[in-house]
Amino acid sequence: MLSNTGTVSFYLYLFFIVIGLLSIFIVYYLIKKGTLDPDKLENFLIYFKWVIITLSISTVTLIVTDLFKERDQDIKELEYFDKYVNDVKNEDRPLVRLQLAKYLSIIAPNGEMKKSWTNYYDTIKREYKEYIKAQIDLKKDSTIKNPTPDQLKQKEENQRKVDLFETPLSSTTNENNAEWFIIAAGNTDIGEANINLEKAVKINHNSSIIKKGGSFRTVLMGYPSKVEAESQLQKVRNEVNPMSYIVRKATWCNTIEKGSECLICK
């Protein structure tokens, strides 16, 4: 199968043009020298036209046939890789998502598809390194008893990176029926979380503290669509925490139970 039918076609037609021009110069040279009589010249021209037309038709036929074969092959490849695209989008385990992207970047056929998967793998590999570093930093942050404002800000940024990377790119949940959260802040101390909660309740009375991964998150809940959550996100950033972000409930924490101090993500 030809890898680039358009390029091959161009060079083949260019080849025939060169042959045609070269033949004209040869015939002109022979006529000028007087070594080609009219009968032979006529036979030569007939033979030349037959060769050019026959080869041209054969070449065009082969190119068109190969073009349809390439198209069928591309369709089969797209159908094959479409299944894996959904696997990557729905995967909530960061390492598995990374491994899937690596696998697809290796087995993808040469061309735009391979280039796209390779670029995606390079991107997610870089984000995975940041995710691992953020996890390590969060453990270190939890040992600091009296963190400075800059340390608290960095901790929130690390928590945001962890949450977003652990959230699948999509969900099997119907987006129209999904619930969206605004994660306003994360604290190791529930007292500090309650301070942020007081601010959050003024924006959305359906706010609460959810403990997830050892962190008390201040969460504004009950948004039926991402658009509605986005409409209040900037206000939350201005009044509660500039690092606030949006997540889908089903992918961030599908099971929430009531605890003694707050809600708990299971």
Side-chain angles (χ1 to χ4, degrees), residues 101-119:
K102 180 179 181 180
Y103 168 72
L104 293 170
S105 70
I106 294 173
I107 68 168
N110 291 329
E112 291 300 319
M113 184 177 293
K114 189 176 189 67
K115 182 179 178 181
S116 298
W117 278 113
T118 301
N119 290 339

Side-chain angles (χ1 to χ4, degrees), residues 33-72:
K33 289 290 185 179
T35 57
L36 191 67
D37 57 59
D39 292 337
K40 291 183 178 179
L41 174 61
E42 184 177 353
N43 292 333
F44 175 81
L45 291 175
I46 293 173
Y47 173 75
F48 174 73
K49 287 190 292 183
W50 178 82
V51 171
I52 293 296
I53 292 173
T54 302
L55 290 177
S56 297
I57 293 174
S58 300
T59 301
V60 171
T61 302
L62 288 173
I63 291 172
V64 171
T65 301
D66 189 74
L67 183 61
F68 278 106
K69 288 181 180 178
E70 286 185 352
R71 181 176 178 275
D72 291 340

Side-chain angles (χ1 to χ4, degrees), residues 2-3 9 35 40 45 47 58 74 85 90 93 108-109 118 121 126-127 130 174 179 189 212 216 242 252 258 263:
L2 300 177
S3 60
S9 302
T35 57
K40 291 183 178 179
L45 291 175
Y47 173 75
S58 300
D74 289 342
V85 169
N90 296 327
R93 293 167 294 177
T118 301
Y121 171 64
R126 183 176 64 253
E127 292 178 350
E130 294 177 357
N174 188 318
E179 182 180 356
D189 181 72
K212 180 184 179 185
F216 296 94
W252 184 75
K258 187 174 181 180
L263 299 176

Side-chain angles (χ1 to χ4, degrees), residues 32 78 93 117 155 176 194 198 208 223 231 233 255 260:
K32 188 175 181 181
L78 288 173
R93 293 167 294 177
W117 278 113
K155 179 184 176 182
N176 294 326
N194 279 318
E198 291 177 2
S208 186
Y223 297 101
S231 68
L233 179 60
T255 304
S260 57

